[in-house]
Structure formats: C-alpha cells, structure tokens
Amino acid sequence: MMATDKPEHTKPLKQPEIPVQPKRSPAGSDTVVLERRTAKVGPPQMYQVVMLNDDYTPMEFVVAVLQEFFNKDREAATQIMLKIHLDGKGVCGVFSRDVAATKVDQVLDAANQGGHPLQCVSEPVA
Ligand code: TYC
C-alpha cells in the first residue's frame, strides 16, 4: 500500500509570513530608523468536505447524512449523492478547518454506527 500523508485536519496551521526587514545602520549617522513590521494576514484557509463513492453504502443513507450534517434539503442532498455516485466524489460543503474536521468525524461516526464503508475527507480549497 502507498504511504499516505497525514489527514489535513491534523496538520499544524500555517502562520502568516512576516517579512524580515534588513537591519541598516548608516555609517556615521546617529539617526534612529524605525521600521514598521506588518503581518499581512489574509482570509483564513477554507476546507471542503469531500465525500467518496463506494459500492455498498445505501443511497438513502448518504442522502440522510447530507441532510443531517450538511443542512441540505432532500432535493439538494439527492443531487449531491447522485453526483458522488456518478463521478466518484463530491463536495458536501466548505468550512473553516475545525468545522470541516468535525463534519468529517460526524460522517465517519454515523457510517461506522450504520456499518457502512462511507468515506469522507477534508481538503484545503485552493
Ligand atoms: N454507490 C452507492 C450505491 O450505489 C451510493 C453512494 C453514493 C455511496 C455516494 C457513497 O458517497 C456515496 N449504493
């Protein structure tokens, strides 16, 4: 079996990069130069929860999971389930890192409870 990376939600958070300012001491000058160091903080990285197809989990179970944990109505849940069934995978929603990790846990717990092999992962949105 191929070695796989750690699950995305267990990796440390990326810190904003603070540019390092060169230290300048002008020769023969007693002027003090104050340099502003600004952390450029962008919007937080978002994560999509992606559900994977398999041959065994009942369609109805997937629809119920999408309704319960992703707040989809029955029609939207059915569309997403069919997309996964046909394409092999599909996005259930986009969340902050912690919320996405919680959704993955909820889906996997429900699948285990029901005895289904349903799999789902979270991945950073480009
Ligand atoms: N392929 C499954 C079936 O035919 C249905 C299914 C859909 C399973 C989506 C998983 O994420 C999934 N019963």
Side-chain angles (χ1 to χ4, degrees):
M1 197 176 129
M2 200 180 71
T4 51
D5 281 342
K6 289 179 190 165
E8 190 59 39
H9 68 277
T10 66
K11 293 180 185 172
L13 284 170
K14 274 186 233 157
Q15 294 298 324
E17 278 170 31
I18 301 172
V20 177
Q21 301 284 349
K23 287 206 181 82
R24 275 169 285 140
S25 46
S29 163
D30 54 6
T31 307
V32 175
V33 180
L34 293 177
E35 293 173 357
R36 194 198 307 265
R37 289 189 184 195
T38 327
K40 281 232 178 92
V41 181
Q45 174 72 63
M46 298 299 277
Y47 290 76
Q48 57 189 15
V49 174
V50 177
M51 201 174 280
L52 309 177
N53 188 37
D54 65 71
D55 291 339
Y56 304 102
T57 304
M59 291 183 174
E60 264 309 319
F61 182 82
V62 178
V63 171
V65 161
L66 288 163
Q67 289 185 258
E68 179 162 353
F69 300 122
F70 297 94
N71 303 317
K72 303 297 182 188
D73 63 28
R74 189 168 171 79
E75 290 68 32
T78 302
Q79 289 301 312
I80 295 169
M81 181 280 294
L82 284 174
K83 196 254 177 217
I84 302 165
H85 177 72
L86 295 172
D87 295 355
K89 63 182 178 177
V91 176
C92 307
V94 176
F95 308 97
S96 67
R97 184 174 180 261
D98 288 357
V99 172
T102 299
K103 301 279 179 196
V104 169
D105 288 347
Q106 288 173 325
V107 172
L108 297 182
D109 284 353
N112 288 334
Q113 290 279 330
H116 304 303
L118 181 62
Q119 292 296 306
C120 113
V121 297
S122 80
E123 55 187 42
V125 178

